[in-house]
């Protein structure tokens, strides 16, 4: 699976909203310039990764997904740890518990300018 991710520049993520525990595929760390997995942002600070001109749009999509379980698809600019500006397309889906509360958001990002 990691070879497929690397060959297509796909990076998968998952956020456990109950424990605020992120999972990023190995490819995403290098793509975004992280060297330590412990530095990956938690759900509530995720918008800090995005260019200030895209934060409001991205935050609105995440908030809607978190509350309604609605899937999303968007293009936004990410400010990488090394200062690079990376335009990515992101898709996300949700998982709900028996009461209909969103417990996980997962998906992938694909860089348009790796």
């Amino acid at each position: 699976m990691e070879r497929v991710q690397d060959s297509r520049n796909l990076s998968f993520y998952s956020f456990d909203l109950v424990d605020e525990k992120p999972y990023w595929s190995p490819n995403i760390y290098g793509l975004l310039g992280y060297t330590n997995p412990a530095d990956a942002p938690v759900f509530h600070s995720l918008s800090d990764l995005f260019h200030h001109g895209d934060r409001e749009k991205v935050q609105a999509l995440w908030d809607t997904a978190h509350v309604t379980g609605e899937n999303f698809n968007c293009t936004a600019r990410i400010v990488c740890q090394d200062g690079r500006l990376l335009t990515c397309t992101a898709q996300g889906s949700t998982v709900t518990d028996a009461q209909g509360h969103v417990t996980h958001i997962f998906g992938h990002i694909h860089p348009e300018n790796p």
Side-chain angles (χ1 to χ4, degrees):
M1 182 59 118
E2 288 179 26
R3 286 184 185 176
V4 171
Q5 292 173 33
D6 289 340
S7 69
R8 297 191 62 213
N9 287 328
L10 288 176
S11 299
F12 294 89
Y13 64 87
S14 174
F15 284 95
D16 177 333
L17 301 178
V18 175
D19 296 329
E20 291 193 0
K21 183 177 179 182
Y23 168 79
W24 288 3
S25 63
N27 193 28
I28 203 168
Y29 291 101
L31 182 69
L32 301 182
Y34 284 91
T35 56
N36 183 354
D39 293 335
V42 295
F43 179 74
H44 297 292
S45 64
L46 183 66
S47 65
D48 293 344
L49 287 173
F50 293 91
H51 183 273
H52 67 275
D54 294 335
R55 283 184 191 152
E56 188 174 313
K57 171 180 72 172
V58 171
Q59 190 65 53
L61 287 169
W62 277 89
D63 289 347
T64 299
H66 190 193
V67 173
T68 68
E70 185 176 320
N71 297 337
F72 60 88
N73 184 3
C74 74
T75 299
R77 297 163 292 174
I78 295 174
V79 180
C80 299
Q81 290 294 299
D82 60 7
R84 287 177 300 124
L85 196 59
L86 185 65
T87 300
C88 293
T89 298
Q91 293 181 331
S93 299
T94 60
V95 175
T96 57
D97 62 16
Q99 292 77 33
H101 300 111
V102 176
T103 60
H104 292 79
I105 296 177
F106 66 95
H108 69 274
I109 63 171
H110 180 76
E112 294 184 2
N113 61 330

